[in-house]
């Protein structure tokens, strides 16, 4: 492995670890080693400077002014979110490090000659493979394996209702070294998409084995949203560019509309069965937060700092699981514009020929209807 491949593998591995907050801590504790939050910050700093190094040694770099404007908007947004919520700006910088890196790469139009694409994809597959093995052991044995797993939300790692043949109430979901079956499943679908679509030098036998293995891991996540994502990736792999654009925009529109009609959806007789239990709770949470925060023209633009606001936890255990509305209460219309504009550009306008990653980004719209999992999609966009 040459220096280019090694650095690309390390760079991608760090992105994979940052896809789900708290993963580095769980990896370190898995090996029974002491962990300190400074380790995550050091990884973020290392990732940032590796990004700068990629740009500096790129002889063909050029500046894209539209992304400079986006970068300035993001800076203003971070400052205003911190000011409104009276939270340290360092929280926002660390929370949006992948978004910051994405903007920097787009400003200078990353040249893929500086990155070994195969090394990037091998990092994705190997990281997912290790987690899949742990996850399947968890699912089949009922043993959590991960240290301090008792600190995780029980509903994210255990099934709270029967699900056909895959699990019954109380079944342990496969969650690997992540915080939930959903996070685990999303990474499995990403790896599945890479193996399905990209030519990374695998033999046909190994490719078939990995596709089956990651598919089983997806099923073991016991998460309906992940099943939808998995099916979408397969369909999108055989779809035209125009169809993918339509799916993306339909998803974005539905994210908005489901928030507008959240109360109606929550009380609809079609969603009263236990099968839709988690779906109903999501919209109960959405209506709660719509009443919890007071909206002025300023907070509509720059949000209420929801993501790091712990005050509401004194009153409710509900979560805000709609990507657009979570972003609205976090950073307002400005942050929504930045995120959705960039994801659209990377998926459809940027010089990106990797169908595996594009298909995941296209699914962002539909997946975000009942999920708040921005870091995962930002990480995919950076890859």
């Amino acid at each position: 492995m040459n220096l280019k491949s090694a650095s690309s593998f390390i760079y991608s591995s760090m992105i994979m670890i940052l896809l789900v907050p708290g993963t580095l801590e769980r990896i370190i504790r898995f090996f029974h080693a002491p962990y300190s939050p400074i380790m995550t910050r050091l990884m973020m700093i290392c990732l940032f400077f590796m990004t700068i190094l990629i740009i500096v040694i790129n002889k063909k770099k050029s500046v894209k002014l539209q992304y400079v404007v986006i970068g300035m908007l993001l800076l203003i947004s971070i400052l205003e979110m911190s000011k409104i919520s009276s939270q340290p700006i360092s929280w926002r910088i660390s929370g949006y490090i992948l978004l910051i890196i994405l903007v920097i790469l787009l400003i200078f139009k990353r040249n893929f000659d500086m990155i070994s694409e195969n090394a990037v994809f091998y990092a994705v597959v190997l990281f997912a493979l290790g987690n899949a093995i742990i996850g399947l052991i968890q699912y089949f044995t009922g043993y959590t394996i991960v240290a301090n797993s008792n600190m995780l939300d029980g509903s994210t790692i255990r099934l709270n209702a029967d699900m056909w043949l895959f699990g019954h109430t109380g079944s342990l979901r496969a969650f690997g070294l992540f915080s939930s079956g959903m996070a685990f499943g999303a990474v499995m679908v990403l790896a599945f998409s890479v193996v399905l679509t990209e030519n990374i030098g695998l033999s046909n036998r190994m490719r078939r084995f990995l596709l089956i293995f990651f598919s089983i891991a997806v099923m073991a996540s016991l998460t309906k949203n992940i099943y939808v994502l998995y099916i979408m990736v397969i369909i999108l792999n055989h779809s035209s560019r125009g169809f993918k654009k339509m799916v993306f925009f339909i998803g974005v529109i539905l994210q908005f509309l489901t928030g507008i009609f959240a109360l109606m959806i929550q009380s609809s007789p079609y969603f009263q069965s236990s099968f839709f239990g988690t779906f109903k709770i999501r919209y109960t949470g959405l209506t709660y937060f719509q009443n919890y925060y007071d909206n002025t023209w300023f907070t509509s633009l720059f949000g209420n700092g929801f993501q790091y606001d712990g005050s509401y936890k004194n009153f409710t255990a509900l979560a805000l699981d709609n990507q657009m509305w979570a972003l609205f209460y976090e950073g307002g219309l400005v942050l929504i514009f930045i995120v959705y504009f960039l994801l659209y550009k990377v998926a459809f306008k940027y010089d990106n020929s990797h169908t595996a990653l594009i298909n995941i980004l296209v699914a962002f719209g539909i997946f975000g209807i009942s999920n708040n999992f921005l870091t995962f999609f930002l990480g995919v966009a950076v890859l």
Side-chain angles (χ1 to χ4, degrees):
M1 182 182 284
N2 57 32
L3 180 61
K4 177 180 173 180
S5 296
S7 58
S8 298
F9 185 88
I10 293 170
Y11 188 79
S12 306
S13 296
M14 288 193 290
I15 292 171
M16 292 300 295
I17 291 171
L18 292 175
L19 284 182
V20 183
T23 300
L24 180 62
E25 177 181 0
R26 285 184 288 276
I27 291 174
I28 291 173
R29 293 194 186 281
F30 178 75
F31 293 103
H32 302 285
Y35 169 80
S36 170
I38 192 67
M39 295 177 179
T40 300
R41 297 191 192 104
L42 287 173
M43 175 178 282
M44 291 178 179
I45 292 170
C46 183
L47 185 65
F48 177 81
F49 280 108
M50 284 188 72
T51 303
I52 298 301
L53 183 62
I54 289 172
I55 293 167
V56 169
I57 63 178
N58 181 5
K59 296 178 181 179
K60 299 179 182 179
K61 55 181 174 287
S62 58
V63 175
K64 295 290 184 180
L65 290 179
Q66 65 174 330
Y67 296 117
V68 173
V69 174
I70 292 294
M72 292 172 64
L73 273 177
L74 179 59
L75 176 61
I76 294 169
S77 177
I78 288 174
L79 291 172
E80 291 301 331
M81 278 189 284
S82 299
K83 189 186 299 182
I84 290 170
S85 59
S86 301
Q87 298 162 353
I89 192 171
S90 59
W91 292 6
R92 284 298 178 306
I93 292 174
S94 61
Y96 290 103
I97 187 66
L98 291 175
L99 180 56
I100 293 168
I101 287 173
L102 177 61
V103 172
I104 292 171
L105 289 172
L106 290 173
I107 286 175
F108 292 98
K109 193 178 181 181
R110 183 182 71 177
N111 187 332
F112 287 98
D113 291 339
M114 310 309 300
I115 296 291
S116 169
E117 296 175 6
N118 269 9
V120 169
F121 289 130
Y122 270 110
V124 172
V125 171
L126 289 176
F127 182 78
L129 185 60
N131 274 282
I133 293 169
I134 295 171
L136 288 175
I137 293 173
Q138 291 166 333
Y139 174 71
F140 286 112
T141 67
Y143 179 52
T144 58
I145 300 176
V146 180
N148 296 330
S149 59
N150 58 309
M151 297 175 64
L152 299 175
D153 183 356
S155 64
T156 66
I157 63 172
R158 291 195 183 277
L159 198 62
N160 56 13
D162 290 353
M163 187 184 287
W164 310 304
L165 302 176
F166 301 124
H168 56 82
T169 302
S171 291
L172 186 67
R173 305 173 191 263
F175 64 95
L177 296 174
F178 301 110
S179 57
S180 68
M182 185 195 74
F184 169 86
V187 173
M188 295 305 110
V189 173
L190 172 60
F192 173 87
S193 183
V194 168
V195 175
L196 178 67
T197 308
E198 303 298 335
N199 181 13
I200 58 175
L202 296 173
S203 66
N204 287 333
R205 179 178 295 180
M206 178 57 70
R207 184 170 174 269
R208 285 194 295 268
F209 168 76
L210 289 175
L211 288 174
I212 294 170
F213 192 72
F214 287 134
S215 296
I216 295 171
V218 166
M219 296 302 107
S221 71
L222 299 179
T223 307
K224 292 186 281 290
N225 289 329
I226 293 302
Y227 298 165
V228 172
L229 180 63
Y230 174 79
I231 293 169
M232 283 187 67
V233 163
I234 294 173
I235 294 172
L236 291 170
N237 191 50
H238 301 284
S239 302
S240 67
R241 186 182 180 87
F243 179 79
K244 291 178 183 180
K245 279 189 178 183
M246 181 181 70
V247 169
F248 180 86
F249 282 114
I250 287 175
V252 170
I253 292 168
L254 288 176
Q255 285 182 28
F256 172 71
L257 291 178
T258 50
I260 295 295
F261 298 107
L263 186 60
M264 183 189 305
I265 293 171
Q266 175 197 343
S267 56
S268 170
Y270 296 105
F271 299 112
Q272 300 308 310
S273 71
S274 60
F275 179 81
F276 292 106
T278 55
F279 184 84
K280 183 182 176 184
I281 289 172
R282 283 177 166 88
Y283 285 91
T284 302
L286 181 50
T287 54
Y288 177 86
F289 286 103
Q290 287 174 337
N291 293 313
Y292 181 79
Y293 288 113
D294 294 324
N295 289 321
T296 64
W297 70 267
F298 193 78
T299 57
S300 293
L301 281 177
F302 296 106
N304 300 88
F306 156 77
Q307 205 66 43
Y308 297 95
D309 180 10
S311 65
Y312 66 84
K313 294 179 181 177
N314 296 322
F315 309 103
T316 182
L318 293 169
L320 210 175
D321 283 323
N322 177 297
Q323 190 62 75
M324 181 177 289
W325 289 89
L327 278 175
F328 178 73
Y329 290 115
E330 163 69 352
L333 295 173
V334 172
L335 187 60
I336 288 175
F337 168 75
I338 292 170
V339 169
Y340 285 67
F341 175 79
L342 291 180
L343 291 181
Y344 172 78
K345 283 288 187 178
V346 173
F348 299 110
K349 298 295 184 181
Y350 195 61
D351 183 20
N352 188 349
S353 58
H354 296 300
T355 306
L357 304 180
I358 290 173
N359 290 343
I360 297 291
L361 294 178
V362 170
F364 166 77
I366 299 295
F367 193 75
I369 294 171
S370 57
N371 292 282
N372 174 17
F373 198 22
L374 181 62
T375 54
F376 172 77
F377 290 97
L378 290 176
V380 172
V382 172
L383 289 171

